[in-house]
Every structure is written in C-alpha cells, then in structure tokens.
Amino acid sequence: MTQIKLSQIRNIGIMAHIDAGKTTVTERILFYTGRSHKIGEVHDGEAVMDWMPDEQERGITITSAVTTCDWKESRIQVIDTPGHVDFTIEVERSLRVLDGAIGVFCAVGGVQPQSETVWRQADKYQVPKIAFVNKMDRIGADFYGVVEQIRDKLGANPVPVALPLGAEDRFSGMIDLLKMKALIWDEEGLGATFNEAEIPEEMQEEAIKAREKLLEAVAETDDLLMEKYLSEENISEEEIVSALRKATINMKMIPVLCGSALKNKGIQSLLDAITAYLPSPADVPPVEGVIPGTEDKIHFPPKSAEPLSALIFKVAMPEGRKLVYARIYSGKLKEGDEVFNPTLNRKERVSRILLMHANKKQRIPDAGPGSLVGLVGLKDSATGDTLCHPGHPVMLERIDIYEPVISLAIEPKTHADQEKLEQVTAKLLDEDPTLRMKQDPDTGQTILSGMGELHLEVIVSRMSREFNTQVNVGRPQVVHRETLAAASRGEAVFEREITGTKHYARIVLNLQPLERGAGVRVSSKLPEDLLRPVLKSAVEKGILEALGAGPLMGYPATDLEAVLLEAEIREGSDTELAFTVAASMACRQAMMQGQALLLEPIMNVEILVPDDHMGEVIGDINSRGGKIEGIAPRSGIQEIRATVPLKKMFGYATDLRSATQGRGNYLMVFSHFDAP
C-alpha cells in the first residue's frame, strides 16, 4: 500500500448489540472500497471478517477482526467487534486503541442492552462516535424513535445529518441534509452506484425542519456560526462539516446516518462521514504513559521521529503460532527491531510486521504512528503490555480485564488428549485474558472459567476444531465440608512393637462444634508439663490428619474444636508415632460416634441491577435459597447483597442477563460453609 499522511488515517471500530448488522456493514465497506471483490453474507457463513468456523456456523462475531481499506484520499483501519456480551473483552481492548467508532443500531430494535454496554466502554476511553441506523428496510423501522433512544438511554446528543427516504419495503435511499439532495441507490449493481435527485415534494417540509435543527445544533458549538445563524446569514456546507467534525471529536455531538447494509444502501455516505467527522491520529491528544518505577507522566506525539510507543491490544494463536496485534502511537517500528517490554522488564525482537485483513496477512517492512499491525516474534508479551524503545522506557495505560463469572469442568477423553491439553490451554489463556484455568485439588478436575456459557462452549469447540484435543465437559463438582451437630467423645490406645521398638499412647479427647467459618482448632486441658513439645505436635498432627476426611462422604471436617482431655505415657514407649496414631484414632472415633452434618459452600453475591428489574432479581435469589443481606441504591441501579448456596448459582449469569435484558451484572466470592 502507498504511504499516506497521518491526517488521512482513520482508526475506527464498528460496535453494536448482537444482530444489529455490524459485520454486514463491514462487508459492504470492504466491497465499496475495493478491498474485497465479492460481498460476503453473514447468513451464508461467507463473511470475510467472520472467518472462524464457529463464527460461520453460529452467524455471530466472536473475535474482533482487523482490516485496512482506502476510501477516496483516506486510509480506514477497521475493527469489527462482537456484539454478544460473553465476548465484551474483544470490544474493550479494541476501543482502547481506536480513535473513533461507529455505533450501529437496528431501526426496529433501537438501543438494546448491549448497545448501552459498548457505548459506555467507548465513553470510558473518550472515543468519538457517529451513529448508523441500519435495517431501514425492515418492517417496523423507526428512524426518529432510534434517535430519541440514543438521546434518552445513552445520554448522547444525536444530530441527524441524513433522513431516510421512505421506510420498510419503500426504503430507497436518504436525504443528505448538508447538500439538501435525495440520494437514491441503484437496485442493480449491488448498490455500487447511486444518483442525486431533488427531494420529493412530500418530504420537502420535513427535510427543511431537520436541516434547521442541524444548523441550530451546529451553531451552538461555534460562536462564529452562532452569529451567522442569528443574523440569518448563509452557512456553507464546508462550515457545517468543519463544525460537526470539531463537535464530534470533542464528544459534544453524534452525527446520525441511516441505511440498509443488507440492501446495499447508505454505506458510501457512511464512509464519507467516517472521513469527514471522525478524528485522525493527529486529532487526538498525544498518548500518555508513565516512566516505569515512577509516577512521572510522559507524552509521545504521533510522529515518526519520536521514540517508539505501542500497545498490545490482542494476542492470537493462528495455527498455534503467536501473533500479537499492536497499535503504534509514536515512532517507527521496523522488521528486526529490538523493543523493550516494561511489564516484563525485558527486550524482545520483532521478526515480522504484518498488515492484517481478517485472517489474511500482508508482510510490510515497517510501520509508523497510527498503524494497527500484527507482530510476529514476541514470545512472552501479552494483552495490555507496552512496547517501547529500550532507551526511552514508558508504560501506557493497561486494558481493563473482566473477571470470569461461570465455570465448568473438563477432562481429556484419551491419554493423547491429556498430553496435549496443557499446551492447548496455555495457548488459549495467552489469547483470551478473560479465560481462567485451574486444577481443583479436592476433586482433581480441571476447572475452566469464562464470561458466559457461550464463551466456554466456543472455547471447548476450538479445542476440538483447531487443536484436535477432545474433552469431556461437565459441571464442576461442588466441594462440601463435614462437621458435628453436637459434642462427641473419643478414646483410643495405640500399643505395638515395630522393628524392635515399643510404641504406646492413650488419648481421650472431645470434639465440639464451633460457629460457622471458624475452621479447626486444637486445645488441651492437660497439665502444661505432661507432654513434651514434640509429643504435643504429634497429637495435633494426628488430629488434623483425622479431620481431613469426615465419616459421611470423606470431605474434610471443619468448624470443630478438638479438646485434649487425657493422655497416658509409658516411659521408653512414648514415641511421636504412637501419639500421632492414637490421637488420629480417637478423633475418628469421636467423628463416627457423633451426629455428623454435611456443609455446602455459601457464596457472597453482589448484584447490580436496573431499578425496573429489582423485584424479579430478588424473587429469583429467594427461589435459589438465598438470603438478602442488604440493598443499596446507586445512580439508576440497585446493589443487592445476598448469600446463596454455590450449587444453586450454576447458570446464574445467563438467567440474570435474561431477567434484566442483559443489563444486570454480578460478582460472587466464597463466604463460608453451612448446612443446607
């Protein structure tokens, strides 16, 4: 590709609720910019950006895909992000490195729950946005309704720069409010051409009112234009575009367009809006970081002559080989360059630089500020790490990582799978920072934790499909504990000769229950000097060993105090072994004779839920045997604190999202063990 000025680069992301048409919009952008020569349809499983087999089968975007295309005099680097809440980290790490974003909204569904989530993520990183109301050809399409939802639900300032020309099956194009012309797309030729025409008479009044509102909104952001507006002077198209661009970059305004990506209408106007209103890397503030080991802030302007500063925003493992995606903020990166990673405090070497087009790669010799590139050769660098010049270390703001909310158990099907599983999971963990893997020491299971049931389903599918590793999947086994309902007495004598040495000990003890969460204690009512310190340790060791497996199901015992009542010593036979075994036998006898109880894990659960769904969520917690500990109001939401048995919390992430239209969230941590 030819070299291009920094001011002509646009790094944008396409974000939306699931099924709003993000990938369809992206496919049209690639077709009309000449990047691809065939329109790939999501419903046919042929979309260029949805290249993973799981994406093609399910018809959804799972992983964010990067591509580059040219439109007129600009270069647009596009990231198509997922819409499903289980893959929200893909949106988070993409928005962290983008300069602008397109919010795609369904003309029928409007602002949906995940639309709110991705919009808040973009606001967090101060990403300027434009809105595209898609699916204007659908029955029930309501352009003005969506604009009002953007204003009310997202707290934004949407300003239409175009109006739909007809709706539903009569949708034929749009009215450009800057040119005051009707743009009508050719039904043939896949929408590659459109014609300018006069605005239909029945739409004249509506278009004039909409343009007046546009001029008023623009004038409010610029004093000079306000003077012209109040004086009823003519405001040129260039002045409107300039003011709109400035207001958009300053996040004071959201230009709104419309169209139907599936019917090939409106995409060229969207491309024009991307280049006209969204910022280039030169328009955003210089990247800020800190000097490692200090709190001193440092800024790097987006210039090739500046020291290198880049952020890794994604790690992929195509064909098992590590590919790192990075945004270069300043400096120039060349093949073979040595870079410094301050997170690891070590240097790494870049062996190849790649320009990405979904899963296709184009090797390039170097890359400068504003580039989104793939890097090969970085062995240990991970998502959120900074790459910089060894002589000018800097650490950029890291990417927020979400904690997993759901788990399942996996086990290899064959011995060959067992050998591969560790390597496969290591690669998947490198790639996905929201994925967690651990071995449960109590059950021996491998526990896989992620952001939702679909997230884990896709991971298991990828193990089989990409890495040829087959696993059995099941829910993780809940680990219980055992205790006693009342005090119980135990007595044991150990007398034996082993390899010529006599061993003797007699122990009497009491096991008594403690309050929940107290754990295990050992105390003594014996005279202080009766047992030597080494024998006291032996008794304690024996008691703790015995409490490691209860009489009901062999789970560890807890919330008990072992009180040593009597101990008999025989001179010359009072060995450590004798006292360890006697104490263990006495403790087991007390457990067997006592009234044993099975305890289950109880979790502290904190739920954030919108006000209008609170009753339903509280009812659901009560139905799971939970206890509401408190409710605290926040702005627009309620924080519910509860304790719930762990076994009743499987699948809760999905149930909560269903009950709250995807707007609820929760955090769960272990509290204590208690009787069912």
Side-chain angles (χ1 to χ4, degrees):
M1 285 192 173
T2 56
Q3 291 295 317
I4 201 160
K5 292 178 183 176
L6 194 66
S7 60
Q8 294 172 307
I9 294 174
R10 300 290 183 272
N11 288 321
I12 62 145
I14 299 184
M15 59 183 197
H17 186 90
I18 192 169
D19 205 31
K22 296 177 307 304
T23 302
T24 305
V25 169
T26 310
E27 293 298 319
R28 268 55 181 182
I29 287 175
L30 297 180
F31 180 71
Y32 299 133
T33 58
R35 191 68 180 84
S36 61
H37 302 291
K38 175 179 178 291
I39 293 178
E41 299 292 9
V42 175
H43 52 264
D44 293 334
E46 295 180 355
V48 173
M49 302 300 274
D50 285 353
W51 56 271
M52 285 174 61
D54 279 289
E55 293 178 313
Q56 293 167 351
E57 279 183 10
R58 299 168 195 270
I60 62 169
T61 302
I62 290 170
T63 182
S64 53
V66 183
T67 191
T68 304
C69 54
D70 290 338
W71 178 248
K72 296 180 179 176
E73 295 179 353
S74 296
R75 175 158 300 161
I76 303 173
Q77 297 179 120
V78 184
I79 300 183
D80 177 30
T81 65
H84 197 286
V85 68
D86 281 14
F87 309 104
T88 193
I89 184 62
E90 293 287 336
V91 185
E92 182 87 21
R93 57 187 179 183
S94 299
L95 288 171
R96 170 66 181 82
V97 297
L98 291 171
D99 300 322
I102 304 166
V104 178
F105 300 93
C106 172
V108 181
V111 177
Q112 297 178 52
Q114 185 64 4
S115 313
E116 297 178 45
T117 302
V118 297
W119 199 269
R120 286 197 297 268
Q121 287 173 302
D123 283 343
K124 179 169 77 175
Y125 293 117
Q126 295 289 296
V127 178
K129 300 169 282 293
I130 61 177
F132 181 72
V133 181
N134 192 27
K135 303 191 178 184
M136 281 303 305
D137 60 307
R138 288 266 306 274
I139 294 173
D142 183 0
F143 175 77
Y144 294 106
V146 176
V147 171
E148 284 309 305
Q149 287 181 38
I150 294 172
R151 190 185 316 280
D152 297 339
K153 291 187 177 182
L154 303 178
N157 179 26
V159 178
V161 294
L163 297 182
L165 200 58
E168 302 178 346
D169 58 349
R170 294 174 289 103
F171 178 71
S172 59
M174 55 184 258
I175 296 170
D176 186 330
L177 293 177
L178 277 73
K179 291 186 170 74
M180 286 303 280
K181 292 285 185 181
L183 307 180
I184 300 170
W185 268 262
D186 186 2
E187 292 289 341
E188 298 177 6
L190 298 174
T193 59
F194 59 92
N195 301 309
E196 279 191 12
E198 294 303 317
I199 298 171
E201 194 173 326
E202 66 272 16
M203 291 286 293
Q204 285 277 358
E205 189 178 340
E206 188 179 336
I208 290 168
K209 283 181 180 176
R211 180 179 168 85
E212 193 65 25
K213 285 184 180 177
L214 169 62
L215 290 175
E216 186 180 335
V218 167
E220 285 176 358
T221 66
D222 188 293
D223 292 341
L224 189 62
L225 289 188
M226 180 58 81
E227 284 181 26
K228 280 193 168 188
Y229 178 73
L230 294 174
S231 305
E232 297 186 357
E233 291 181 42
N234 182 53
I235 300 175
S236 69
E237 184 182 332
E238 291 75 18
E239 287 175 310
I240 298 173
V241 170
S242 176
L244 271 170
R245 177 178 177 78
K246 185 178 175 184
T248 304
I249 291 173
N250 292 332
M251 299 189 65
K252 292 180 179 177
M253 194 177 289
I254 309 293
V256 184
L257 295 97
C258 60
S260 169
L262 188 63
K263 295 297 175 68
N264 311 309
K265 294 170 184 172
I267 302 300
Q268 292 94 331
S269 298
L270 177 62
L271 284 162
D272 286 339
I274 290 168
T275 58
Y277 307 132
L278 290 177
S280 73
D283 296 316
V284 296
V287 68
E288 180 182 276
V290 295
I291 298 172
T294 74
E295 294 184 2
D296 297 339
K297 292 183 178 179
I298 186 170
H299 296 83
F300 289 107
K303 295 178 181 176
S304 297
E306 290 288 323
L308 175 70
S309 65
L311 184 73
I312 296 172
F313 67 94
K314 181 179 170 71
V315 173
M317 290 285 180
E319 300 168 355
R321 297 173 185 171
K322 189 167 187 174
L323 173 64
V324 167
Y325 289 76
R327 158 73 190 260
I328 300 174
Y329 287 98
S330 66
K332 198 159 195 175
L333 187 62
K334 297 178 182 176
E335 278 192 354
D337 275 0
E338 195 173 60
V339 294
F340 180 65
N341 183 329
T343 308
L344 303 174
N345 196 28
R346 76 173 70 142
K347 295 176 183 177
E348 296 214 74
R349 189 171 297 279
V350 176
S351 59
R352 277 186 290 163
I353 303 174
L354 306 170
L355 200 63
M356 302 303 299
H357 178 50
N359 61 332
K360 296 181 175 64
K361 312 171 188 72
Q362 177 186 339
R363 192 167 175 174
I364 54 177
D366 54 51
S371 301
L372 299 175
V373 292
L375 305 177
V376 178
L378 304 179
K379 295 180 181 177
D380 301 310
S381 296
T383 299
D385 286 359
T386 301
L387 301 176
C388 56
H389 189 280
H392 297 86
V394 63
M395 190 173 287
L396 305 180
E397 180 190 354
R398 292 185 64 82
I399 296 169
D400 287 341
I401 302 300
Y402 295 90
E403 287 301 311
V405 296
I406 194 168
S407 302
L408 54 78
I410 59 171
E411 59 181 29
K413 282 189 176 179
T414 66
H415 183 67
D417 292 326
Q418 171 76 58
E419 292 176 344
K420 288 190 288 184
L421 185 60
E422 194 172 327
Q423 292 180 338
V424 170
T425 53
K427 288 177 180 178
L428 290 170
L429 289 170
D430 261 356
E431 191 174 292
D432 188 344
T434 60
L435 194 64
R436 302 282 191 280
M437 193 87 64
K438 70 174 183 180
Q439 289 290 128
D440 190 316
D442 291 303
T443 65
Q445 291 177 310
T446 298
I447 306 297
L448 191 65
S449 302
M451 297 303 296
E453 287 168 308
L454 179 61
H455 182 204
L456 297 180
E457 192 181 311
V458 167
I459 292 295
V460 171
S461 170
R462 290 186 61 201
M463 284 182 178
S464 168
R465 204 189 293 265
E466 293 178 31
F467 300 99
N468 197 28
T469 303
Q470 310 299 322
V471 293
N472 294 319
V473 178
R475 284 186 171 182
Q477 182 181 335
V478 174
V479 180
H480 292 75
R481 293 288 184 269
E482 297 183 26
T483 193
L484 296 178
S488 179
R489 182 184 174 94
E491 179 178 348
V493 175
F494 180 78
E495 184 175 12
R496 191 169 298 178
E497 185 174 325
I498 302 172
T499 61
T501 303
K502 291 184 177 181
H503 302 269
Y504 177 85
R506 173 177 167 271
I507 294 291
V508 180
L509 55 77
N510 232 16
L511 275 184
Q512 52 197 46
L514 297 173
E515 68 276 8
R516 295 290 172 255
V520 172
R521 297 180 202 156
V522 178
S523 62
S524 174
K525 289 187 176 179
L526 298 176
E528 191 65 32
D529 57 351
L530 180 64
L531 295 178
R532 305 191 310 274
V534 67
L535 296 183
K536 287 180 182 176
S537 296
V539 169
E540 186 167 340
K541 179 184 174 186
I543 291 170
L544 294 177
E545 281 180 0
L547 292 177
L552 290 176
M553 297 177 69
Y555 289 114
T558 190
D559 299 344
L560 289 173
E561 182 175 20
V563 183
L564 196 56
L565 302 177
E566 298 177 30
E568 186 180 330
I569 298 172
R570 282 186 185 172
E571 201 67 42
S573 303
D574 53 346
T575 61
E576 288 181 55
L577 173 64
F579 276 86
T580 298
V581 175
S584 180
M585 290 166 61
C587 189
R588 285 202 180 93
Q589 186 190 71
M591 287 285 288
M592 295 296 291
Q593 292 177 352
Q595 186 183 344
L597 282 177
L598 195 65
L599 302 178
E600 63 180 351
I602 306 296
M603 312 301 286
N604 275 332
V605 183
E606 184 181 289
I607 310 160
L608 298 177
V609 58
D611 294 340
D612 47 349
H613 295 291
M614 189 172 71
E616 193 174 348
V617 170
I618 289 175
D620 182 55
I621 288 294
N622 289 333
S623 72
R624 295 172 189 267
K627 295 177 183 175
I628 304 297
E629 302 287 332
I631 300 172
R634 294 191 187 179
S635 57
I637 59 173
Q638 299 286 337
E639 178 188 296
I640 302 170
R641 295 185 302 279
T643 55
V644 192
L646 174 60
K647 68 181 180 184
K648 298 291 183 73
M649 290 300 290
F650 289 116
Y652 184 64
T654 303
D655 292 344
L656 178 64
R657 286 171 188 161
S658 176
T660 62
Q661 295 182 321
R663 295 163 68 191
N665 206 349
Y666 82 104
L667 178 69
M668 183 170 70
V669 294
F670 173 76
S671 172
H672 63 282
F673 285 93
D674 207 345

